[in-house]
Amino acid sequence: MFLRSYSNRNSRFIWFDIETTGFNIFHGHIIEIAAVDNIGNEFSTLIKCPRKLPKKIVEITNITDDMLKDQMGIKEALKGFIDFINIDSKKKKYLIGHNIYNFDIPFVKAQCAKYGLKLPKADYIDTMRISQLVLDHEYYHNLNHLCGLFRIKNTNAHRALSDVYATQIIYQNLVILFRRKFKSASPNFIIHKTRFV
């Protein structure tokens, strides 16, 4: 459950994650998108891939070609994700994820550009950046390490929805540590301290 002390009736917090066929934003494909928000909404979909999945991706995600063959295409999936972000359009939106500055946001924006789509206006909060700032004594800041550190059971790691729920709990823990360090943990202050770190 989202920590009420950090919620805001005028804001919507959206945790999200993607699974892809690799790291290349121009030639890779998104094969799964998932998101949850602080008011109980959830979005999750597998996405048809035009190419056979790399063996390494199947090993990491447990997503197979058979699982994707009857799924929606990427354009439809992106539209669904955009519609999810636009729920309650009057509220200020924060998109939260792990390593989203370096990976998820550029990847989604590159895929949107292919189909003339655009992500709705939102501010981005990267839990990896927060971790690097407040857990400076830790050598690793990946999702798996933080799950271990905070004793979070991510039983289906590298599947988007499972990683989203893990990221949500990680964010809640990191916000507590951030507040201890800086006396404030408003989303805008977190962004100010972590965007260019």
Side-chain angles (χ1 to χ4, degrees):
M1 179 178 288
F2 183 74
L3 293 177
R4 294 180 186 275
S5 59
Y6 303 116
S7 66
N8 185 317
R9 290 184 179 181
N10 297 318
S11 300
R12 186 155 167 260
F13 297 82
I14 303 164
W15 292 265
F16 80 102
D17 184 52
I18 62 174
E19 299 300 330
T20 70
T21 59
F23 298 106
N24 190 315
I25 66 171
F26 299 105
H27 303 291
H29 300 277
I30 299 174
I31 56 174
E32 188 174 31
I33 303 175
V36 299
D37 67 15
N38 59 318
I39 53 178
N41 298 303
E42 181 181 291
F43 173 83
S44 180
T45 185
L46 289 167
I47 302 164
K48 186 181 296 183
C49 186
R51 300 176 184 171
K52 186 175 175 62
L53 294 176
K55 183 179 178 182
K56 186 68 174 177
I57 297 302
V58 175
E59 290 173 356
I60 292 171
T61 65
N62 289 315
I63 296 172
T64 66
D65 292 302
D66 282 344
M67 292 168 64
L68 301 182
K69 65 181 181 181
D70 296 322
Q71 301 296 330
M72 67 177 71
I74 182 61
K75 185 175 182 179
E76 185 182 356
L78 289 170
K79 283 182 176 179
F81 182 48
I82 290 168
D83 288 343
F84 180 83
I85 295 171
N86 277 328
I87 293 173
D88 206 344
S89 59
K90 293 181 181 179
K91 289 189 175 183
K92 182 173 177 62
K93 299 173 187 65
Y94 296 95
L95 286 178
I96 306 169
H98 201 74
N99 197 29
I100 60 171
Y101 283 143
N102 294 326
F103 183 69
D104 301 71
I105 292 297
F107 214 111
V108 171
K109 284 185 173 180
Q111 294 294 302
C112 282
K114 287 183 180 180
Y115 300 101
L117 302 173
K118 189 174 181 180
L119 280 179
K121 184 177 179 181
D123 287 318
Y124 307 134
I125 299 176
D126 192 328
T127 50
M128 177 176 276
R129 296 279 183 93
I130 304 173
S131 175
Q132 290 170 334
L133 181 60
V134 302
L135 294 172
D136 53 300
H137 56 282
E138 295 291 328
Y139 186 78
Y140 296 105
H141 298 274
N142 59 55
L143 199 69
N144 184 58
H145 180 73
L146 295 181
C147 282
L149 189 67
F150 294 124
R151 298 181 182 179
I152 299 165
K153 289 185 178 179
N154 188 7
T155 54
N156 208 4
H158 299 294
R159 287 299 306 272
L161 190 60
S162 185
D163 284 353
V164 163
Y165 279 111
T167 301
Q168 186 182 39
I169 300 169
I170 286 169
Y171 175 76
Q172 293 166 6
N173 281 278
L174 290 175
V175 165
I176 293 170
L177 297 176
F178 190 98
R179 192 175 197 179
R180 287 177 187 168
K181 186 178 181 75
F182 296 105
K183 312 302 180 188
S184 172
S186 72
N188 290 337
F189 186 60
I190 290 173
I191 292 167
H192 169 71
K193 295 296 287 185
T194 59
R195 179 176 285 165
F196 301 112
V197 172

